[in-house]
Amino acid sequence: MKVTTVSVAALAAGAMAAPSNTTPREASKAAAACSSAVTLDASTNVFKKYKLHANTFYREEVKKAVEQMTDASLKTAAAKVADVGSFLWLDNIANIAKFDSAISDLPCENILGLVIYDLPGRDCAAKASNGELKYNELSRYKSEYVDPIVAKIKANPNSAFVLLIEPDSLPNLVTNADLSTCQESKTAYEEGVAYALKSLNLPNVVMYVDAGHGGWLGWDANLKPGAEELAKVYKAAGSPKQLRGYATNIAGWNAWDLEPGEFSKASDAKYNSCQNEKTYVTKFSAALKTAGFPNHAIVDTGRNAVTGLREEWGDWCNVDGAGFGVRPTADTGLELADAFVWGKPGGESDGTSDEGATRYDSFCGKPDAYKPSPEAGEWNQAYFEMLLKNAKPQF
């Protein structure tokens, strides 16, 4: 099945870097949860009511970045980034502990975004963002990862949560079935995501399952099988009512509505009609509706301000020249798109450019990748400043 002329592994890498383990200082504000239990209606767009929370960890990373700057105007602009809502990545068992600090300053009018990201055999087609659990450790994923998160959310019924479920996982099963690593992980991915969806189906939660992006599942040959894979797992989970839809362009670079599209002149463009994320959301949502899966989306615009930087769709690592994109908002101009969000914390590396490193991925050494770059999840001050200078709109 034709996917693209680039390696499908490139599309799967996705830059899903595990954020750093830096522990923040005490929250600056006291907890201000709602006075009664929160119930979210997943048949509606919760972003119309709630603001994506500027979580404690990214706020602290940005504050430290500001302290390293000497240019007064740049410092002023950078400080504003700390107030932008973004998702907090619970990317391993130890980092579940981040939940407690993150919830400590969550006001009633905000919703805390959490990325559920620790599947066994995680990122089976990547090197920079492999996880801690082996493909045959599904029981650990359930008992040591998902269950504790469920317990923490249940212990905070007066707060609202939006969950982004397992970036890269199900798209990998669609396009990288030829890789032995993905073949080994298939059962754990499908059963693991189903378990997460079923277990996290709580009244104060709304969920979105990751669905790659237009340059991945947006290829004409991938739309139908991609939708069917998501629907298969959703139904295996018992069709949980708190699932709203899917997430796209997470940690990605694709433009929302650029016409005719960043790679519209490529020799294989005729095989992909989804040359921007707006078209992808429109077409993939239709395929999902047919397959029986909730079809509203959230779109990551955190680093997609500048286009024309990549050599091909699959270049995912620390794209040089990138800039912060549109801030989180429910005003997308498309009913199927619930919100633009910041899924990937801008400034945290996608992967190291050190060719001698164990987790080095060749895509982090390509001509369009920023160098030098540290290990995935570690802070890259120079890259953060580049994102800030190239931001559209400017801060």
Side-chain angles (χ1 to χ4, degrees):
M1 177 175 66
K2 181 169 180 61
V3 178
T4 172
T5 55
V6 302
S7 168
V8 289
L11 298 177
M16 302 306 172
S20 66
N21 293 317
T22 302
T23 301
R25 297 189 295 270
E26 284 296 316
S28 59
K29 296 184 292 183
C34 301
S35 59
S36 59
V38 171
T39 299
L40 300 179
D41 182 358
S43 69
T44 66
N45 180 4
V46 299
F47 290 99
K48 292 287 187 180
K49 178 179 179 181
Y50 293 92
K51 178 182 178 181
L52 185 62
H53 188 54
N55 71 74
T56 307
F57 290 87
Y58 188 52
R59 180 181 292 276
E60 287 300 316
E61 286 183 316
V62 172
K63 286 182 178 179
K64 291 176 182 177
V66 173
E67 292 171 358
Q68 296 183 46
M69 298 178 181
T70 56
D71 183 280
S73 60
L74 195 63
K75 287 171 70 78
T76 299
K80 297 177 181 178
V81 180
D83 294 324
V84 178
S86 64
F87 276 75
L88 174 64
W89 292 59
L90 305 182
D91 54 279
N92 58 45
I93 293 168
N95 279 343
I96 296 173
K98 291 182 175 181
F99 181 101
D100 299 327
S101 293
I103 198 71
S104 66
D105 67 344
L106 179 68
C108 185
E109 65 271 16
N110 285 9
I111 189 167
L112 180 61
L114 300 173
V115 180
I116 306 302
Y117 185 55
D118 200 27
L119 274 176
R122 190 179 74 191
D123 277 3
C124 59
K127 296 179 181 179
S129 47
N130 297 141
E132 64 184 345
L133 301 178
K134 298 177 181 178
Y135 74 91
N136 58 356
E137 293 186 301
L138 180 60
S139 61
R140 288 192 63 198
Y141 175 74
K142 293 179 178 180
S143 64
E144 297 180 41
Y145 181 72
V146 175
D147 290 353
I149 295 174
V150 171
K152 287 184 177 293
I153 293 178
K154 285 183 175 180
N156 290 273
N158 293 11
S159 295
F161 301 90
V162 54
L163 307 183
L164 198 169
I165 306 297
E166 295 294 352
D168 280 3
S169 58
L170 301 184
N172 265 322
L173 298 185
V174 177
T175 63
N176 291 303
D178 59 323
L179 298 179
S180 60
T181 49
C182 292
Q183 292 169 4
E184 291 173 341
S185 299
K186 180 178 173 62
T187 297
Y189 278 22
E190 293 181 338
E191 293 186 10
V193 172
Y195 184 82
L197 291 176
K198 185 175 182 179
S199 302
L200 292 162
N201 186 45
L202 304 171
N204 57 331
V205 166
V206 64
M207 298 179 285
Y208 296 85
V209 175
D210 184 73
H213 55 77
W216 190 349
L217 295 187
W219 293 81
D220 298 347
N222 292 340
L223 287 167
K224 185 173 184 289
E228 290 175 345
E229 178 64 34
L230 266 64
K232 173 185 175 182
V233 175
Y234 166 67
K235 293 171 184 177
S239 302
K241 69 176 184 178
Q242 296 306 110
L243 179 68
R244 171 68 172 171
Y246 64 103
T248 179
N249 205 41
I250 299 302
W253 317 94
N254 298 351
W256 167 242
D257 59 1
L258 179 69
E259 293 289 353
E262 187 171 357
F263 297 100
S264 60
K265 295 182 179 180
S267 60
D268 56 2
K270 62 183 178 181
Y271 299 107
N272 184 348
S273 58
C274 298
Q275 291 288 321
N276 59 49
E277 293 302 289
K278 184 176 183 180
T279 302
Y280 176 53
V281 168
T282 301
K283 288 181 174 289
F284 196 59
S285 289
L288 286 171
K289 183 176 182 180
T290 299
F293 184 96
N295 66 345
H296 284 77
I298 54 174
V299 183
D300 192 349
T301 58
R303 304 186 300 178
N304 76 340
V306 185
T307 59
L309 302 172
R310 295 173 293 170
E311 294 181 344
E312 51 193 3
W313 280 115
D315 291 359
W316 55 268
C317 190
N318 302 316
V319 173
D320 196 7
F324 286 122
V326 174
R327 269 53 114 194
T329 177
D331 297 325
T332 66
L334 182 68
E335 192 276 332
L336 289 168
D338 284 345
F340 297 142
V341 301
W342 279 22
K344 166 79 176 187
E348 294 182 359
S349 178
D350 295 324
T352 180
S353 57
D354 180 3
E355 296 182 12
T358 301
R359 289 164 67 91
Y360 172 73
D361 191 298
S362 61
F363 281 87
C364 299
K366 295 194 70 172
D368 55 11
Y370 186 92
K371 307 174 195 67
S373 290
E375 289 283 356
E378 293 183 9
W379 190 258
N380 189 335
Q381 180 72 16
Y383 197 83
F384 172 78
E385 293 184 19
M386 180 192 72
L387 290 172
L388 181 62
K389 292 174 182 177
N390 295 336
K392 295 180 183 178
Q394 286 282 310
F395 279 90

